[in-house]
Structure formats: C-alpha cells, structure tokens
Amino acid sequence: VSRRSEPDLPAIESPLTPALTVEDLEAAARERLPAMVFDYYAGGSGEEWTLRENRRAYERWVIRPRVLVDVSNVDLRATVLGEELPFPILLAPTAFQRMAHRYGEVATAGGAAALDAVMVVSTIATATLEEIAATGVRRWFQLYVLKDRDLTATLVKRAHAAGYGAVVLTVDTPLLGRRLRDERNKFSLPPGIGLANLEGSGLPESEGSGLSSFFQDRHDASLTWDDVSWLRSLSPLPLVLKGILTAEDARLAVDIGAGAIVVSNHGGRQLDGAPATLDVLPEIVEAAGGRTEVLVDGGIRRGSDVFKALALGARAVLVGRPYLWGLAVNGAEGVQQVLEILRDDLIHTMALAGRARVADIDRSAVAAAPRAPERGDDR
Ligand code: FNR
Ligand code: LAC
C-alpha cells in the first residue's frame, strides 16, 4: 500500500490512541490510503460547495435542551419500512469498498451486522450480492438502472432472491458529477478489483475518470418517472428513491407509491450548487405529509447531527464516508466502531437534551442558530 507523504499531516495514529470521533478515523484513513483512493472517497463535484454546505448546515441549528427529564434509559429504536432498527442510522451505499480494505463490502457487512444495522449495497460493489448476504447483515440493494435493462432486471431479481429488503433507486445520477479530483488522478480501479455484480469487469479505459466513462457508457440517462412501474414489476420489494431535493419531486414520489425517500445530494458528489440536505429536509417532510417515509444523508458526522436531522423530520439518517474511514483503518471492527461512535454520541446528546426516546425529538428540540454578527451590524 502506498502511503501519502505530506509533511503537514499528523503521524499515523498509534493503536494505543483510541479514535473518539469520525474525524479521528478520517485522519487515520487518509494516512493509510493511496491518494487516488482517498480523493475518490472524500471528494465532491465541481468546486465542492455542496459538499461543504452539507456540513455547514448543521452549524445553523442549535439544540434546545429540556431539563429534569428522566433520561436514565435512552431508547434509540426507530421503525423504517416497517422494520424496527436498534438505532436510526443506516449505512448509505458506497461503491468500490475493496479499495479501502481487502474484504471490502463483506467486512462492512460484518461491522453492520454486529450492531444489527441496515447496510445499503451499491450496484457497483466489489463483492457479490450473494457474498454480502451470506454475512447475515440486514440489507437493502441500491440500484443504478443500466442501458441494458435485462441486466438491470437480473440484478433486482438477484437482490430479492438473496434476501435484500428494499430496492433503493438512486435518482440523482443520470450522469456522474464532475469530480475534478478523479479527473486529475485519472481514477481507475486497482488491479484485481472489479464490478463484482456486473460481469466482474473493471472500469473502461479513460483519459480522465474511469468511473465517469462507466456512467457514460453503461448508465441509462433516459430514465424517467414513467419507468418506475417497470421497476416495481420486477420484484415485490419496497421502493426507496434516493436523491430527492425538492417538494415537487417528493410529491411525485408519493404518487408513484415509494415506500421511502432519501433526501440526498449524493454527499456533494453530483450537482454542485445543490442545497445542503438539512436545509431542504423540512419542505420535503411537509410535502411527503406522512405518506412516504423521509430519510436524509449528507455530512452527518456526530450524534448532534443525527439529533438535528430527526428534529427536522427525518425518520432515520444514512452515513457514507464515516464508515469508509472505519473500514480503511480497521475493517469490520472499524465499521462497527464508527457506528458505535455515532450511536453513543446520539445517546449522549439525547440524554443531555432531555429526550429519552426518538419520538421525543420533535421540532421544538431545535432552533435556528443566532446569526454571526457581520461587519457593519453595530452601526
Ligand atoms: C457514494 N454514494 C453513492 N450513492 C449511491 O446511490 N450509489 C453509490 O454507488 C454511491 N457510491 C458512493 C461512493 C462514495 C465514495 C461516496 C462518498 C458516496 C453516495 C452515498 O450513498 C451518500 O449519499 C453520501 O455518501 C452521504 O454523504 P456522507 O455521509 O458521505 O457525507
Ligand atoms: C459515486 C457513485 C458511484 O458517488 O455513486 O462515486
């Protein structure tokens, strides 16, 4: 494994220094991963404005703590698509996990299964759907609809046969966002790692990003709302639409009978200039009107972030990069560790905020943060 050597980076974390935060694990992962891989995982599209905005949005809210509430038992259980989860945090689909760890998605599944969390498996995973299923993890399948519709149908049928509990259609990626880091690095898959569920092949040769070329060649940019009924005919699984950012599209998702939507801008990797997900969450929750479940992802790094998302109406959240850092640093155990950090931090936040159950985290639990004074405000 080639190491990134930049003089201003901290030395590799000693195993005696426990990681306390997601950022601790990110720093350790950055030390460990080749620059091309770190950039692919960490990066966003364009000037990465949306990527940064996802984080900044969490700073625009404060938590309103209630006191003298019995918080001796904090209960994190939540129900999503009719399934009870031990805590309201799922693993978002991320591609190419064997670049982070030799067991890739199978290791991630092990970490998620240890805590009974739901893992959403990407269409472009580097382990097969069946290998991942064999770990026993609770699992949903994320779908990219390919120009080859027969292959797409086969994927959905395989997922159903292998015990996946939902199909998560990603709707924000007709083509890939412009990831400048990947173009500059000429992103490609390291030898021996391939798209395990799509003929096991690698990415096409490319002048720039091989992943961008893959989407150009294989992904169906003509997909519309009219294709959803075809998709639903392929399996009885509930359909989740991932990548909704407007009330208009949330209403269409309700109309087509989506079981859930994920308010997502793909972690700032697709349309740069799209809003932070937390900022649009309230309007989408309102548009959904309780007729479809609303989940959110993007920039969630600590328990207070999860708390704020729940207060603004999300039923649960998903995290992407955080568990990739855990995977890179320590495989299945690292993934488990990240989930524990987030879960325990959420428990802590709920206790200090006087909310002992997820249902108690209502809109009154947060308020807009006071605006920082700007120059001229005192005149
Ligand atoms: C992703 N994401 C993603 N989404 C998807 O539907 N299919 C995929 O294959 C991938 N692949 C992928 C790879 C990497 C490296 C990242 C970082 C993200 C998006 C992902 O599901 C999720 O929306 C974001 O990661 C959420 O933002 P955070 O938690 O990473 O800030
Ligand atoms: C990504 C795609 C593959 O974000 O979803 O890299």
Side-chain angles (χ1 to χ4, degrees):
V1 177
S2 71
R3 279 188 199 288
R4 202 179 163 94
S5 55
E6 281 182 26
D8 57 340
L9 287 174
I12 196 157
E13 190 195 37
S14 137
L16 297 176
T17 315
L20 299 180
T21 65
V22 169
E23 287 84 352
D24 290 346
L25 283 158
E26 175 174 356
R30 185 183 180 127
E31 280 291 301
R32 236 151 268 219
L33 293 170
M36 181 197 77
V37 173
F38 179 82
D39 276 348
Y40 169 66
Y41 288 161
S45 55
E47 58 177 315
E48 301 189 338
W49 182 86
T50 297
L51 175 66
R52 290 188 298 277
E53 188 71 352
N54 273 350
R55 284 293 313 136
R56 285 193 295 253
Y58 282 94
E59 294 172 9
R60 295 196 278 263
W61 292 91
V62 294
I63 296 171
R64 301 180 66 244
R66 297 298 308 275
V67 299
L68 295 176
V69 174
D70 178 358
V71 291
S72 54
N73 285 303
V74 172
D75 181 354
L76 292 187
R77 280 173 303 171
T79 306
V80 177
L81 293 182
E83 287 187 58
E84 186 179 284
L85 312 184
F87 51 91
I89 304 168
L90 297 83
L91 285 78
T94 61
F96 309 148
Q97 294 178 18
R98 283 181 61 209
M99 296 193 308
H101 185 270
R102 67 185 179 286
Y103 299 130
E105 290 81 2
V106 172
T108 298
L115 298 176
D116 206 18
V118 170
M119 171 182 182
V120 187
V121 175
S122 171
T123 289
I124 49 178
T126 49
T128 66
L129 295 177
E130 294 77 12
E131 286 170 311
I132 298 165
T135 65
V137 70
R138 289 169 79 159
R139 53 199 177 271
W140 296 354
F141 174 59
Q142 177 268 325
L143 180 67
Y144 281 130
V145 172
L146 305 171
K147 289 177 187 162
D148 182 342
R149 292 292 178 98
D150 291 339
L151 177 57
T152 307
T154 304
L155 285 170
V156 172
K157 288 174 183 164
R158 273 174 60 194
H160 180 228
Y164 287 70
V167 172
V168 180
L169 175 68
T170 299
V171 293
D172 59 13
T173 310
L175 41 83
L176 201 70
R178 278 203 72 191
R179 319 246 177 104
L180 302 178
R181 302 194 207 200
D182 296 347
E183 286 183 32
R184 294 192 175 109
N185 293 334
K186 303 200 188 310
F187 176 80
S188 63
L189 286 175
I193 299 182
L195 309 176
N197 294 292
L198 305 174
E199 314 104 23
S201 63
L203 293 173
E205 292 286 320
S206 171
E207 293 286 288
S209 157
L211 183 58
S212 180
S213 303
F214 168 83
F215 271 81
Q216 199 86 45
D217 294 354
R218 306 283 302 273
H219 188 263
D220 188 350
S222 76
L223 194 75
T224 71
W225 294 97
D226 295 334
D227 296 301
V228 174
S229 54
W230 162 76
L231 196 55
R232 299 197 66 172
S233 75
L234 300 176
S235 84
L237 294 173
L239 182 67
V240 179
L241 297 187
K242 171 174 180 283
I244 301 279
L245 288 171
T246 61
E248 298 92 300
D249 283 339
R251 281 190 284 271
L252 290 173
V254 169
D255 292 345
I256 58 122
I261 57 185
V262 182
V263 178
S264 176
N265 53 35
H266 216 108
R269 298 162 71 81
Q270 286 299 107
L271 175 64
D272 194 37
T277 48
L278 193 70
D279 285 343
V280 293
L281 177 63
E283 79 171 62
I284 291 173
V285 169
E286 199 192 326
R291 290 166 297 167
T292 181
E293 298 181 359
V294 180
L295 314 181
V296 66
D297 73 17
I300 291 161
R301 300 294 179 266
R302 60 198 79 254
S304 59
D305 299 339
V306 182
F307 185 96
K308 290 171 186 175
L310 297 180
L312 291 172
R315 183 174 275 264
V317 305
L318 297 84
V319 293
R321 296 178 184 89
Y323 76 80
L324 290 174
W325 308 140
L327 178 66
V329 172
N330 206 9
E333 280 175 47
V335 170
Q336 181 177 343
Q337 185 183 9
V338 166
L339 292 172
E340 284 169 347
I341 286 173
L342 292 168
R343 180 196 65 188
D344 295 349
D345 201 30
L346 176 59
I347 292 176
H348 212 84
T349 304
M350 287 170 68
L352 291 175
R355 267 64 176 198
R357 295 172 311 152
V358 166
D360 299 334
I361 309 174
D362 59 12
R363 183 60 182 74
S364 75
V366 293
R371 193 171 60 90
E374 281 167 22
R375 260 157 50 133
D377 268 7
D378 54 348
R379 263 188 272 139

mmCIF file of all heavy atoms in Angstrom, residues 40-41 92-95 122 124 142 144 170 242 264 266-267 269 297-301 318-322 324, ligand 1:
data_model
loop_
_atom_site.group_PDB
_atom_site.id
_atom_site.type_symbol
_atom_site.label_atom_id
_atom_site.label_comp_id
_atom_site.label_asym_id
_atom_site.label_seq_id
_atom_site.Cartn_x
_atom_site.Cartn_y
_atom_site.Cartn_z
ATOM 1 N N TYR A 40 -11.053 9.951 -4.077
ATOM 2 C CA TYR A 40 -12.336 9.448 -4.581
ATOM 3 C C TYR A 40 -13.366 9.383 -3.451
ATOM 4 O O TYR A 40 -14.513 9.819 -3.610
ATOM 5 C CB TYR A 40 -12.163 8.069 -5.232
ATOM 6 C CG TYR A 40 -13.497 7.418 -5.515
ATOM 7 C CD1 TYR A 40 -14.368 7.962 -6.458
ATOM 8 C CD2 TYR A 40 -13.918 6.297 -4.798
ATOM 9 C CE1 TYR A 40 -15.618 7.399 -6.687
ATOM 10 C CE2 TYR A 40 -15.166 5.729 -5.015
ATOM 11 C CZ TYR A 40 -16.010 6.287 -5.957
ATOM 12 O OH TYR A 40 -17.254 5.736 -6.167
ATOM 13 N N TYR A 41 -12.971 8.870 -2.313
ATOM 14 C CA TYR A 41 -13.906 8.751 -1.197
ATOM 15 C C TYR A 41 -14.294 10.134 -0.647
ATOM 16 O O TYR A 41 -15.460 10.406 -0.367
ATOM 17 C CB TYR A 41 -13.293 7.923 -0.062
ATOM 18 C CG TYR A 41 -13.176 6.428 -0.332
ATOM 19 C CD1 TYR A 41 -12.300 5.639 0.423
ATOM 20 C CD2 TYR A 41 -13.948 5.794 -1.302
ATOM 21 C CE1 TYR A 41 -12.190 4.266 0.213
ATOM 22 C CE2 TYR A 41 -13.839 4.427 -1.526
ATOM 23 C CZ TYR A 41 -12.956 3.667 -0.763
ATOM 24 O OH TYR A 41 -12.849 2.311 -0.969
ATOM 25 N N ALA A 92 -25.184 4.143 4.118
ATOM 26 C CA ALA A 92 -25.508 4.563 2.747
ATOM 27 C C ALA A 92 -24.708 3.710 1.765
ATOM 28 O O ALA A 92 -23.619 3.230 2.088
ATOM 29 C CB ALA A 92 -25.149 6.038 2.568
ATOM 30 N N PRO A 93 -25.240 3.539 0.543
ATOM 31 C CA PRO A 93 -24.481 2.765 -0.441
ATOM 32 C C PRO A 93 -23.233 3.524 -0.874
ATOM 33 O O PRO A 93 -23.304 4.709 -1.193
ATOM 34 C CB PRO A 93 -25.466 2.646 -1.613
ATOM 35 C CG PRO A 93 -26.361 3.840 -1.482
ATOM 36 C CD PRO A 93 -26.500 4.067 0.003
ATOM 37 N N THR A 94 -22.099 2.849 -0.858
ATOM 38 C CA THR A 94 -20.884 3.443 -1.427
ATOM 39 C C THR A 94 -20.199 2.386 -2.285
ATOM 40 O O THR A 94 -20.161 1.200 -1.938
ATOM 41 C CB THR A 94 -19.903 3.967 -0.355
ATOM 42 O OG1 THR A 94 -19.479 2.885 0.466
ATOM 43 C CG2 THR A 94 -20.538 5.056 0.510
ATOM 44 N N ALA A 95 -19.660 2.843 -3.399
ATOM 45 C CA ALA A 95 -19.050 1.952 -4.383
ATOM 46 C C ALA A 95 -17.662 1.515 -3.931
ATOM 47 O O ALA A 95 -17.058 2.124 -3.053
ATOM 48 C CB ALA A 95 -18.942 2.700 -5.713
ATOM 49 N N SER A 122 -24.287 -1.080 -2.863
ATOM 50 C CA SER A 122 -24.248 -0.408 -4.170
ATOM 51 C C SER A 122 -24.292 -1.383 -5.338
ATOM 52 O O SER A 122 -23.711 -2.469 -5.278
ATOM 53 C CB SER A 122 -22.957 0.418 -4.270
ATOM 54 O OG SER A 122 -22.776 0.906 -5.584
ATOM 55 N N ILE A 124 -22.539 -0.971 -7.821
ATOM 56 C CA ILE A 124 -21.153 -1.135 -8.256
ATOM 57 C C ILE A 124 -20.242 -1.511 -7.087
ATOM 58 O O ILE A 124 -19.127 -1.023 -6.944
ATOM 59 C CB ILE A 124 -20.641 0.079 -9.050
ATOM 60 C CG1 ILE A 124 -20.940 1.388 -8.336
ATOM 61 C CG2 ILE A 124 -21.294 0.101 -10.435
ATOM 62 C CD1 ILE A 124 -20.387 2.599 -9.102
ATOM 63 N N GLN A 142 -29.060 -0.989 -3.551
ATOM 64 C CA GLN A 142 -29.104 0.292 -4.287
ATOM 65 C C GLN A 142 -28.965 0.015 -5.767
ATOM 66 O O GLN A 142 -28.022 -0.644 -6.204
ATOM 67 C CB GLN A 142 -27.976 1.217 -3.821
ATOM 68 C CG GLN A 142 -27.911 2.535 -4.589
ATOM 69 C CD GLN A 142 -26.986 2.488 -5.804
ATOM 70 O OE1 GLN A 142 -25.961 1.807 -5.762
ATOM 71 N NE2 GLN A 142 -27.350 3.170 -6.881
ATOM 72 N N TYR A 144 -28.579 1.231 -9.764
ATOM 73 C CA TYR A 144 -28.373 2.108 -10.907
ATOM 74 C C TYR A 144 -28.999 1.402 -12.102
ATOM 75 O O TYR A 144 -28.642 0.260 -12.402
ATOM 76 C CB TYR A 144 -26.877 2.329 -11.166
ATOM 77 C CG TYR A 144 -26.245 3.351 -10.242
ATOM 78 C CD1 TYR A 144 -25.071 3.060 -9.549
ATOM 79 C CD2 TYR A 144 -26.808 4.607 -10.082
ATOM 80 C CE1 TYR A 144 -24.487 4.003 -8.713
ATOM 81 C CE2 TYR A 144 -26.238 5.550 -9.249
ATOM 82 C CZ TYR A 144 -25.073 5.252 -8.569
ATOM 83 O OH TYR A 144 -24.513 6.186 -7.749
ATOM 84 N N THR A 170 -31.347 5.138 -7.073
ATOM 85 C CA THR A 170 -30.652 6.433 -6.979
ATOM 86 C C THR A 170 -31.059 7.275 -8.173
ATOM 87 O O THR A 170 -30.876 6.873 -9.327
ATOM 88 C CB THR A 170 -29.135 6.217 -6.926
ATOM 89 O OG1 THR A 170 -28.853 5.444 -5.754
ATOM 90 C CG2 THR A 170 -28.383 7.532 -6.843
ATOM 91 N N LYS A 242 -33.702 7.594 -3.781
ATOM 92 C CA LYS A 242 -32.585 8.285 -3.112
ATOM 93 C C LYS A 242 -32.060 9.404 -3.996
ATOM 94 O O LYS A 242 -31.656 9.163 -5.144
ATOM 95 C CB LYS A 242 -31.464 7.273 -2.839
ATOM 96 C CG LYS A 242 -30.165 7.888 -2.337
ATOM 97 C CD LYS A 242 -29.163 6.815 -1.958
ATOM 98 C CE LYS A 242 -27.857 7.393 -1.457
ATOM 99 N NZ LYS A 242 -26.993 7.897 -2.541
ATOM 100 N N SER A 264 -31.125 13.572 -0.404
ATOM 101 C CA SER A 264 -29.685 13.361 -0.588
ATOM 102 C C SER A 264 -29.191 14.168 -1.767
ATOM 103 O O SER A 264 -29.893 14.304 -2.768
ATOM 104 C CB SER A 264 -29.416 11.869 -0.860
ATOM 105 O OG SER A 264 -28.045 11.631 -1.139
ATOM 106 N N HIS A 266 -26.120 13.134 -2.710
ATOM 107 C CA HIS A 266 -25.065 12.180 -3.038
ATOM 108 C C HIS A 266 -23.753 12.574 -2.332
ATOM 109 O O HIS A 266 -22.669 12.395 -2.863
ATOM 110 C CB HIS A 266 -24.875 12.147 -4.560
ATOM 111 C CG HIS A 266 -24.536 10.807 -5.142
ATOM 112 N ND1 HIS A 266 -25.416 10.077 -5.891
ATOM 113 C CD2 HIS A 266 -23.401 10.071 -5.110
ATOM 114 C CE1 HIS A 266 -24.828 8.963 -6.311
ATOM 115 N NE2 HIS A 266 -23.603 8.928 -5.840
ATOM 116 N N GLY A 267 -23.901 13.156 -1.153
ATOM 117 C CA GLY A 267 -22.697 13.587 -0.437
ATOM 118 C C GLY A 267 -21.924 14.658 -1.182
ATOM 119 O O GLY A 267 -20.688 14.698 -1.129
ATOM 120 N N ARG A 269 -21.543 15.022 -4.359
ATOM 121 C CA ARG A 269 -20.750 14.434 -5.450
ATOM 122 C C ARG A 269 -21.437 14.566 -6.803
ATOM 123 O O ARG A 269 -20.882 14.192 -7.821
ATOM 124 C CB ARG A 269 -20.509 12.949 -5.155
ATOM 125 C CG ARG A 269 -19.715 12.742 -3.885
ATOM 126 C CD ARG A 269 -19.848 11.314 -3.353
ATOM 127 N NE ARG A 269 -19.169 10.293 -4.134
ATOM 128 C CZ ARG A 269 -17.879 10.018 -4.051
ATOM 129 N NH1 ARG A 269 -17.106 10.709 -3.239
ATOM 130 N NH2 ARG A 269 -17.343 9.051 -4.773
ATOM 131 N N ASP A 297 -29.409 11.967 4.127
ATOM 132 C CA ASP A 297 -27.974 11.744 4.308
ATOM 133 C C ASP A 297 -27.200 12.964 3.839
ATOM 134 O O ASP A 297 -27.761 13.894 3.253
ATOM 135 C CB ASP A 297 -27.492 10.454 3.614
ATOM 136 C CG ASP A 297 -27.415 10.535 2.089
ATOM 137 O OD1 ASP A 297 -27.416 11.643 1.507
ATOM 138 O OD2 ASP A 297 -27.342 9.459 1.455
ATOM 139 N N GLY A 298 -25.889 12.967 4.145
ATOM 140 C CA GLY A 298 -25.009 14.056 3.729
ATOM 141 C C GLY A 298 -24.439 14.822 4.906
ATOM 142 O O GLY A 298 -25.154 15.578 5.556
ATOM 143 N N GLY A 299 -23.172 14.606 5.192
ATOM 144 C CA GLY A 299 -22.475 15.427 6.186
ATOM 145 C C GLY A 299 -22.719 15.056 7.636
ATOM 146 O O GLY A 299 -22.320 15.802 8.531
ATOM 147 N N ILE A 300 -23.342 13.916 7.883
ATOM 148 C CA ILE A 300 -23.614 13.543 9.278
ATOM 149 C C ILE A 300 -22.361 12.919 9.891
ATOM 150 O O ILE A 300 -21.864 11.900 9.406
ATOM 151 C CB ILE A 300 -24.835 12.607 9.336
ATOM 152 C CG1 ILE A 300 -26.077 13.441 8.966
ATOM 153 C CG2 ILE A 300 -24.979 11.969 10.713
ATOM 154 C CD1 ILE A 300 -27.255 12.651 8.534
ATOM 155 N N ARG A 301 -21.826 13.567 10.912
ATOM 156 C CA ARG A 301 -20.545 13.150 11.485
ATOM 157 C C ARG A 301 -20.583 12.960 12.988
ATOM 158 O O ARG A 301 -19.583 12.567 13.583
ATOM 159 C CB ARG A 301 -19.446 14.192 11.148
ATOM 160 C CG ARG A 301 -19.214 14.399 9.659
ATOM 161 C CD ARG A 301 -18.634 13.158 8.994
ATOM 162 N NE ARG A 301 -18.436 13.337 7.565
ATOM 163 C CZ ARG A 301 -19.326 12.982 6.637
ATOM 164 N NH1 ARG A 301 -20.488 12.421 6.978
ATOM 165 N NH2 ARG A 301 -19.071 13.171 5.358
ATOM 166 N N LEU A 318 -28.671 8.274 7.016
ATOM 167 C CA LEU A 318 -27.657 7.365 6.477
ATOM 168 C C LEU A 318 -26.308 8.080 6.519
ATOM 169 O O LEU A 318 -26.247 9.308 6.393
ATOM 170 C CB LEU A 318 -27.951 6.980 5.020
ATOM 171 C CG LEU A 318 -29.241 6.208 4.716
ATOM 172 C CD1 LEU A 318 -30.426 7.162 4.575
ATOM 173 C CD2 LEU A 318 -29.100 5.404 3.433
ATOM 174 N N VAL A 319 -25.261 7.291 6.688
ATOM 175 C CA VAL A 319 -23.907 7.846 6.611
ATOM 176 C C VAL A 319 -23.114 7.093 5.551
ATOM 177 O O VAL A 319 -23.268 5.887 5.383
ATOM 178 C CB VAL A 319 -23.165 7.779 7.961
ATOM 179 C CG1 VAL A 319 -23.824 8.709 8.984
ATOM 180 C CG2 VAL A 319 -23.073 6.362 8.501
ATOM 181 N N GLY A 320 -22.264 7.831 4.837
ATOM 182 C CA GLY A 320 -21.431 7.233 3.793
ATOM 183 C C GLY A 320 -19.969 7.222 4.190
ATOM 184 O O GLY A 320 -19.446 6.232 4.712
ATOM 185 N N ARG A 321 -19.307 8.356 4.005
ATOM 186 C CA ARG A 321 -17.856 8.404 4.255
ATOM 187 C C ARG A 321 -17.447 7.927 5.643
ATOM 188 O O ARG A 321 -16.417 7.262 5.763
ATOM 189 C CB ARG A 321 -17.332 9.810 3.987
ATOM 190 C CG ARG A 321 -17.478 10.218 2.510
ATOM 191 C CD ARG A 321 -17.002 11.635 2.289
ATOM 192 N NE ARG A 321 -17.216 12.100 0.927
ATOM 193 C CZ ARG A 321 -18.327 12.707 0.484
ATOM 194 N NH1 ARG A 321 -19.337 12.916 1.297
ATOM 195 N NH2 ARG A 321 -18.408 13.118 -0.771
ATOM 196 N N PRO A 322 -18.203 8.261 6.705
ATOM 197 C CA PRO A 322 -17.723 7.854 8.033
ATOM 198 C C PRO A 322 -17.353 6.374 8.126
ATOM 199 O O PRO A 322 -16.287 6.013 8.637
ATOM 200 C CB PRO A 322 -18.895 8.221 8.953
ATOM 201 C CG PRO A 322 -19.486 9.431 8.285
ATOM 202 C CD PRO A 322 -19.393 9.115 6.802
ATOM 203 N N LEU A 324 -16.608 4.374 5.680
ATOM 204 C CA LEU A 324 -15.471 4.054 4.796
ATOM 205 C C LEU A 324 -14.152 4.305 5.524
ATOM 206 O O LEU A 324 -13.180 3.571 5.348
ATOM 207 C CB LEU A 324 -15.519 4.885 3.513
ATOM 208 C CG LEU A 324 -16.628 4.539 2.521
ATOM 209 C CD1 LEU A 324 -16.631 5.541 1.365
ATOM 210 C CD2 LEU A 324 -16.471 3.106 1.990
HETATM 211 C C1 FNR B 1 -21.291 7.361 -2.590
HETATM 212 N N1 FNR B 1 -22.674 7.446 -2.775
HETATM 213 C C2 FNR B 1 -23.307 6.508 -3.556
HETATM 214 N N2 FNR B 1 -24.662 6.547 -3.702
HETATM 215 C C3 FNR B 1 -25.290 5.613 -4.437
HETATM 216 O O1 FNR B 1 -26.511 5.665 -4.548
HETATM 217 N N3 FNR B 1 -24.574 4.625 -5.054
HETATM 218 C C4 FNR B 1 -23.236 4.517 -4.957
HETATM 219 O O2 FNR B 1 -22.628 3.610 -5.510
HETATM 220 C C5 FNR B 1 -22.554 5.507 -4.214
HETATM 221 N N4 FNR B 1 -21.206 5.495 -4.127
HETATM 222 C C6 FNR B 1 -20.565 6.373 -3.301
HETATM 223 C C7 FNR B 1 -19.198 6.282 -3.126
HETATM 224 C C8 FNR B 1 -18.546 7.128 -2.241
HETATM 225 C C9 FNR B 1 -17.068 7.009 -2.053
HETATM 226 C C10 FNR B 1 -19.286 8.096 -1.515
HETATM 227 C C11 FNR B 1 -18.610 9.009 -0.523
HETATM 228 C C12 FNR B 1 -20.634 8.216 -1.712
HETATM 229 C C13 FNR B 1 -23.461 8.453 -2.019
HETATM 230 C C14 FNR B 1 -23.832 7.920 -0.640
HETATM 231 O O3 FNR B 1 -24.789 6.905 -0.737
HETATM 232 C C15 FNR B 1 -24.404 9.022 0.270
HETATM 233 O O4 FNR B 1 -25.453 9.688 -0.390
HETATM 234 C C16 FNR B 1 -23.372 10.020 0.745
HETATM 235 O O5 FNR B 1 -22.131 9.398 0.976
HETATM 236 C C17 FNR B 1 -23.833 10.709 2.019
HETATM 237 O O6 FNR B 1 -22.944 11.691 2.428
HETATM 238 P P1 FNR B 1 -21.771 11.482 3.520
HETATM 239 O O7 FNR B 1 -22.348 10.722 4.694
HETATM 240 O O8 FNR B 1 -20.681 10.728 2.830
HETATM 241 O O9 FNR B 1 -21.390 12.880 3.837
#
